[in-house]
Amino acid sequence: MQLKLGPQRLSWLPPRFSRLLPTLVASIVFVLLVTTARLRNGSFSSVFRSPPPPKIEPPKPIRPPLVRLPLSSGQCTSDIEYLRQRNLDLSNSITYSRRCVKQLATDKFNRDDVVNISKPLITHKTAINLTDCTVPDPIPCDDLPLQVPFPYPAQQYKHLIFGIASTYDRINDSLPAFAHWLKNTNALLVGVVVDAEEEKEGQWHPNPNVDLPALERLYNKSGVTASFIAPALKVNPRNREPEKRTEHHHFMLIRDLLARSTNETRWLGILDDDTFFPSLYPLDQELRRHDHARPLWLGALSEAFSSVQSWGYMAYGGAGAFVSLPLAREMNPVLEECIADATVDTGDGIMRDCVYTRTHTKLTLVPGLYQHDTHGDMSGFYESGVRPLSVHHWKTWYHEPMPEIAAVTDLCGDCFLARWRFGNDTLFTNGYSIATYAPGVLERTDLSSMEGTWVRPGRDFDFSLAPLREPLARDKKKSYHLKDSGMTETGTFRQLYVYRGDEEKEENDEVVELIWDLQ
Ligand SMILES: *[C@@H]1O[C@H](CO)[C@@H](O)[C@H](O)[C@H]1NC(C)=O
Ligand SMILES: *[C@@H]1O[C@H](CO)[C@@H](O)[C@H](O)[C@H]1NC(C)=O
Ligand SMILES: *[C@@H]1O[C@H](CO)[C@@H](O)[C@H](O)[C@H]1NC(C)=O
Ligand SMILES: *[C@@H]1O[C@H](CO)[C@@H](O)[C@H](O)[C@H]1NC(C)=O
Ligand SMILES: *[C@@H]1O[C@H](CO)[C@@H](O)[C@H](O)[C@H]1NC(C)=O
Ligand SMILES: *[C@@H]1O[C@H](CO)[C@@H](O)[C@H](O)[C@H]1NC(C)=O
């Protein structure tokens, strides 16, 4: 699984070139290392850092956008009309299956088990023509009883304050992700809107395109208590010029959050704008294991050891860092000094230097927070049985619709990413995928190891994600990935899993819909 570039593999090269090759490879590797290191924190990179991260294209529409003419009313039922939606980008003819999940809530659910169900998951396949909505009537929906845990208890999280520093547009676009984990929790989100003011000749003026109260109202409508503010730091402590560095505002969040703390506040969460928590409940359970009355700094390393070698032992920003009030109070008077003195100029790096040089606190690692310094296909991670408290880089370095994937946590909590095996060939990872394996492959697969599906898996991840196994070829494993989820018109919850047909082989898309009854 490692980069193998031995000379024996390259005998087709002219000899002169082969001799130069080690130097060439070394230079390329060096440049790659430096580049990936500099781009470690991808959330701001697309806006604020250059050059951009290695280009991983978002899943492309594989065919020209389809124009589906509206049908006359009554021609198409609402469940098929839903599949015709343009943003799902399904082929005109699809093979469709569905199951009606009956939740059997139990307190004996063992999240680490891969539960065996001897019968197949996909029981009927129906051809649907989405152009004219022809479909044999009615489409069967066999019951699928599934033992699941009870939902997480509804709880208030006034004791948590979260902070981000980002642009107005990105905060506006990020509402669905924040709403997923913050709605109706009473936790406070503080957003420093870095473009709320514009600098002209040393003076800061309100940006006419920014309406902070409107943004707060938008979040409020989705049940999120948010406070959006202009940056307080006007002068860059490093060079005394007007402050334009988002990373500095990110670090200064410590002061912004401290200012909003109450006698109930336990933790200040310093996040990137693309840090995603599948649910606040398990995060809070983990935080409760640490004494918030002591000076503490909680977080996670990068999973890539090369990142740790370049950036050091610190709470990597995208995974989420948690600072207790005693530590925040200790750092508050020296924040500007810390920015001026830091050996690196990223928010998490400044925090590292500041904690280590100005306090006696050390990093406390929290398992389950993920920085995700990984590119490409992260299915191996999500299908491994992992229980992530946080994930990151899901809309830049890889592409997964996290709010839709994690939506099922509202129904059955820890059932998210739980796995079931159907027959001897199908693995269902709740919220993420349905994968059917070629005959015999699933039996031979050690499901307790992680499939190294991303770009350059290998020894770099030994200390964090191992044991890893080789990625499977597309003909060994056919995956239906979750593309959408949400409530249906009839008050059930749907998950839509899609296998993209291979266009060259003129395959149609295949769709498996799981329709969950609410408990
Ligand atoms: C399911 O089957 C596999 C292989 O047959 C077995 O190793 C595993 O223990 C079974 N899981 C449970 C929860 O019984
Ligand atoms: C789907 O329906 C359209 C419109 O009736 C028709 O032109 C097309 O041939 C049909 N496709 C298939 C694969 O039957
Ligand atoms: C947020 O973005 C949407 C569309 O992208 C736009 O219609 C809306 O006005 C924006 N909201 C605010 C408060 O700017
Ligand atoms: C939304 O705003 C209203 C009116 O100010 C307030 O009563 C309510 O608590 C807010 N909701 C949230 C989730 O903050
Ligand atoms: C916080 O302060 C309020 C009054 O300011 C008081 O009523 C409340 O009991 C205090 N809560 C805690 C947890 O100390
Ligand atoms: C898997 O199950 C199917 C259907 O029960 C059976 O026909 C097939 O032989 C099994 N395959 C293996 C490799 O056990």
Side-chain angles (χ1 to χ4, degrees), residues 50-250:
S50 58
K55 197 98 186 123
I56 304 286
E57 294 290 335
K60 266 201 215 102
I62 50 177
R63 49 187 84 75
L66 298 167
V67 183
R68 290 212 171 95
L69 300 175
L71 300 174
S72 56
S73 83
Q75 192 174 343
C76 204
T77 56
S78 65
D79 43 354
I80 310 295
E81 196 60 65
Y82 159 76
L83 297 170
R84 298 178 84 241
Q85 285 181 97
R86 187 148 165 194
N87 59 359
L88 293 177
D89 193 40
L90 296 175
S91 56
N92 268 328
S93 294
I94 60 168
T95 305
Y96 174 87
S97 316
R98 70 178 167 198
R99 295 294 298 268
C100 282
V101 178
K102 305 292 163 202
Q103 298 187 69
L104 306 171
T106 168
D107 50 17
K108 298 205 174 58
F109 184 81
N110 184 345
R111 175 61 164 72
D112 297 325
D113 278 350
V114 180
V115 177
N116 295 312
I117 296 179
S118 57
K119 300 215 171 89
L121 173 58
I122 297 172
T123 44
H124 303 275
K125 291 189 174 183
T126 303
I128 300 182
N129 183 337
L130 291 178
T131 308
D132 64 2
C133 199
T134 43
V135 42
D137 197 22
I139 305 176
C141 191
D142 293 344
D143 278 359
L144 174 59
L146 281 187
Q147 290 213 334
V148 292
F150 285 97
Y152 292 132
Q155 211 169 275
Q156 295 302 301
Y157 299 87
K158 269 205 160 124
H159 52 283
L160 302 179
I161 305 182
F162 297 94
I164 54 164
S166 187
T167 61
Y168 186 71
D169 286 346
R170 282 174 68 103
I171 295 176
N172 186 26
D173 292 346
S174 301
L175 173 60
F178 283 114
H180 167 75
W181 56 271
L182 280 168
K183 65 176 184 291
N184 311 326
T185 60
N186 251 327
L188 173 65
L189 176 69
V190 177
V192 172
V193 181
V194 297
D195 53 353
E197 293 178 354
E198 298 169 324
E199 184 263 338
K200 248 184 239 136
E201 290 156 12
Q203 297 291 316
W204 291 93
H205 308 277
N207 176 346
N209 301 321
V210 164
D211 183 346
L212 298 180
L215 202 55
E216 286 177 2
R217 283 196 299 274
L218 189 74
Y219 271 64
N220 177 293
K221 262 197 248 154
S222 294
V224 179
T225 310
S227 166
F228 295 115
I229 55 177
L233 189 67
K234 305 292 185 199
V235 177
N236 183 331
R238 287 171 96 91
N239 57 18
R240 312 308 302 167
E241 286 178 6
E243 179 58 274
K244 300 211 170 135
R245 198 157 160 77
T246 298
E247 297 286 346
H248 295 176
H249 299 312
H250 179 264

Side-chain angles (χ1 to χ4, degrees), residues 449-465:
S449 64
M450 189 180 286
E451 188 182 347
T453 52
W454 55 93
V455 178
R456 289 192 299 275
R459 305 303 301 269
D460 208 19
F461 299 90
D462 273 357
F463 85 107
S464 54
L465 301 178

Side-chain angles (χ1 to χ4, degrees), residues 424 439-440 443:
N424 53 19
E443 279 106 325

Side-chain angles (χ1 to χ4, degrees), residues 251-298:
F251 174 67
M252 293 300 292
L253 280 168
I254 294 174
R255 182 171 297 159
D256 300 315
L257 303 193
L258 194 57
R260 282 162 185 78
S261 64
T262 67
N263 59 356
E264 290 176 75
T265 307
R266 289 186 208 148
W267 296 103
L268 309 179
I270 315 282
L271 312 180
D272 281 3
D273 64 1
D274 55 349
T275 303
F276 182 83
F277 299 110
S279 170
L280 267 195
Y281 181 80
L283 175 71
D284 187 56
Q285 292 295 305
E286 174 59 37
L287 293 176
R288 280 171 194 271
R289 300 177 55 232
H290 305 271
D291 184 359
H292 61 88
R294 288 175 42 216
L296 279 183
W297 176 37
L298 313 180

